[in-house]
Amino acid sequence: MDNVTKLLIEKRNAELFLRPRFSIDLDETSDVLIQRFSDVFKNKKTNCRGVHVDQHIFMSVPKKDEHFWSPQLHLEFIQKENNTTEMKGLFGPKPQVWTFFMFIHFVIGGLFLISATMLYSKISLNEPFTFPLIMVIVLPIIWILLYFLGSIGKDTGKPQIKYLHDVMIQIITNQL
């Protein structure tokens, strides 16, 4: 590659999201970019682990640095006209962690609906309604705590998010 530095314009979503997203428009075909990523992972030019599936690349931190909150970077390559590519990226937890959190959210949501129905029924029948009332109050608090727990996990994984992002940029600019 010549001494001309490529200008990368990265579009990001708001910082509020637990799973940060971005997109970059590149002046290369998706096949060239995917092959570059595959070569880097195959030849172990980086400590990152990577998997290539169709038009997707999944990048993870080295196994020795991995912890419960370690992120994964999912890259999707969308071929555009004029040999350009839109690369969409999504940082998120490992699929097992994400599935576990979604399961917990589903259970809490289901219990909340059941408790709200029980509360309404008990009030309508003029029966004691202490337990369903406590559940209707406590379950949303647990839900909010789960959100903050996810935020803490995201903050714990931020150095690794930066590391994965830096490696991705090095691969795109062919500096690795």
Side-chain angles (χ1 to χ4, degrees):
M1 188 172 145
D2 59 349
N3 292 334
V4 178
T5 306
K6 291 183 179 180
L7 177 64
L8 297 177
I9 299 172
E10 186 172 341
K11 296 169 259 173
R12 297 181 183 188
N13 68 353
E15 289 295 320
L16 181 64
F17 295 102
L18 289 176
R19 301 176 69 195
R21 299 172 189 271
F22 63 90
S23 67
I24 302 175
D25 294 322
L26 300 164
D27 292 331
E28 296 180 271
T29 65
S30 59
D31 293 336
V32 168
L33 290 163
I34 290 171
Q35 188 59 49
R36 188 177 302 146
F37 276 89
S38 294
D39 289 345
V40 165
F41 297 130
K42 190 184 323 172
N43 298 327
K44 301 204 186 292
K45 293 181 183 177
T46 180
N47 290 334
C48 287
R49 296 174 295 143
V51 176
H52 164 232
V53 179
D54 295 329
Q55 296 296 103
H56 303 267
I57 299 282
F58 298 91
M59 293 174 60
S60 300
V61 295
K63 197 70 165 169
K64 64 180 175 56
D65 298 331
E66 199 171 59
H67 53 76
F68 183 77
W69 296 110
S70 288
Q72 174 178 290
L73 173 56
H74 170 217
L75 299 172
E76 179 182 8
F77 297 87
I78 302 168
Q79 184 67 46
K80 303 285 186 175
E81 61 275 345
N82 302 331
N83 290 331
T84 60
T85 301
E86 180 183 12
M87 183 181 71
K88 293 184 175 189
L90 169 66
F91 288 102
K94 294 174 283 195
Q96 302 88 333
V97 174
W98 188 252
T99 303
F100 173 69
F101 261 77
M102 289 299 101
F103 174 75
I104 296 297
H105 279 278
F106 179 75
V107 168
I108 290 173
L111 288 174
F112 177 80
L113 291 174
I114 291 169
S115 298
T117 304
M118 283 176 54
L119 178 64
Y120 176 76
S121 298
K122 296 272 186 182
I123 290 173
S124 296
L125 297 172
N126 290 324
E127 293 182 5
F129 55 85
T130 308
F131 178 72
L133 179 63
I134 291 171
M135 294 299 285
V136 165
I137 293 170
V138 168
L139 288 169
I141 293 171
I142 293 172
W143 224 336
I144 291 168
L145 289 174
L146 277 177
Y147 175 80
F148 286 113
L149 185 62
S151 294
I152 290 168
K154 180 180 139 187
D155 289 342
T156 303
K158 270 190 179 175
Q160 293 179 334
I161 287 175
K162 182 174 177 359
Y163 173 74
L164 288 172
H165 186 269
D166 291 346
V167 169
M168 176 203 64
I169 295 295
Q170 288 176 342
I171 294 172
I172 289 171
T173 58
N174 215 6
Q175 295 175 358
L176 198 60

